Amino acid sequence: LSDTASVVRESVKILLEEEPLSTAWIYRLDEKSQKLWMLDSGGRLAYLSRENTEIPLEGSVSGKAVHTGRVQLIDDLASDARVNRTARKLAHTHPKELAGTNIIIPLMSGDRVYGTCSYHLGLQRTLNQADFEAFEAIGQIIGLALASVDNLEEMTFRANHDSLTQLPNRAALHEAFRQH
């Protein structure tokens, strides 16, 4: 997978195969704005995505996952004070749909966090230590894939742009001619 969209789409697809009632939302970290921005979602509640496209890091359970690098568990979206206001409102509006265990997985490569995956299982489930370790491993795999895509994009940019001016170089010009 050579671009962020395909990595995210494939990750969501795999997560949904594991739990038939689940929904997965993948967010990318924007360190400048200190927010998480939704990249993709899938599953039976994907239609709710348009209402929760951004999550502030400050005062949110997703922010805690980013800052600690640890999987966070939410038993009740509607009443958990760590959950952002938009998600709590959605949980009050759609109580049956959003009931169940929610897991916030930090997407990491090394010590760097690239975003989070909000994984709604669709049923109430007690998690043990092995479950937490499995979700951390999932976050590391997706984070590594995102890191690889970022590195590929940066190398491609450097190969096709002048390091001083950031303008396209001769290689980019030849590629543009070839495409036309």
Side-chain angles (χ1 to χ4, degrees):
L1 304 173
S2 61
D3 62 283
T4 301
S6 60
V7 166
V8 170
R9 202 171 27 257
E10 190 65 24
S11 299
V12 167
K13 181 179 143 193
I14 291 167
L15 286 168
L16 297 179
E17 288 172 358
E18 292 303 310
E19 292 282 346
L21 298 176
S22 66
T23 302
W25 293 274
I26 294 192
Y27 293 85
R28 187 69 189 253
L29 176 61
D30 180 359
E31 292 174 355
K32 251 186 198 175
S33 69
Q34 290 293 290
K35 291 183 180 179
L36 292 158
W37 297 94
M38 183 183 300
L39 296 179
D40 200 353
S41 66
R44 64 188 181 87
L45 304 175
Y47 67 92
L48 298 175
S49 300
R50 63 184 168 271
E51 297 181 50
N52 200 22
T53 58
E54 70 178 72
I55 300 173
L57 292 183
E58 189 63 38
S60 70
V61 67
S62 296
K64 185 172 183 182
V66 167
H67 293 305
T68 64
R70 305 288 302 180
V71 171
Q72 302 295 311
L73 181 66
I74 304 169
D75 287 320
D76 183 13
L77 276 174
S79 65
D80 194 320
R82 302 172 302 155
V83 175
N84 73 56
R85 187 170 20 119
T86 305
R88 278 199 315 265
K89 180 182 164 193
L90 284 170
H92 282 291
T93 318
H94 306 279
K96 282 186 180 177
E97 294 96 330
L98 290 172
T101 301
N102 294 274
I103 302 147
I104 308 300
I105 306 166
L107 308 178
M108 301 180 66
S109 178
D111 291 338
R112 182 166 177 210
V113 179
Y114 287 84
T116 61
C117 175
S118 297
Y119 191 37
H120 176 73
L121 297 180
L123 48 95
Q124 200 65 35
R125 186 168 142 196
T126 304
L127 301 178
N128 60 35
Q129 186 61 32
D131 292 324
F132 278 97
E133 290 171 5
F135 288 121
E136 285 179 3
I138 289 167
Q140 290 171 0
I141 291 167
I142 298 171
L144 181 59
L146 291 172
S148 296
V149 166
D150 283 359
N151 289 336
L152 179 63
E153 288 173 357
E154 184 175 338
M155 288 188 305
T156 302
F157 182 85
R158 286 183 182 191
N160 291 300
H161 292 79
D162 180 77
S163 61
L164 180 61
T165 65
Q166 305 301 309
L167 294 172
N169 63 15
R170 187 184 313 232
L173 178 67
H174 287 294
E175 178 61 24
F177 282 141
R178 189 188 66 72
Q179 287 180 358
H180 284 104

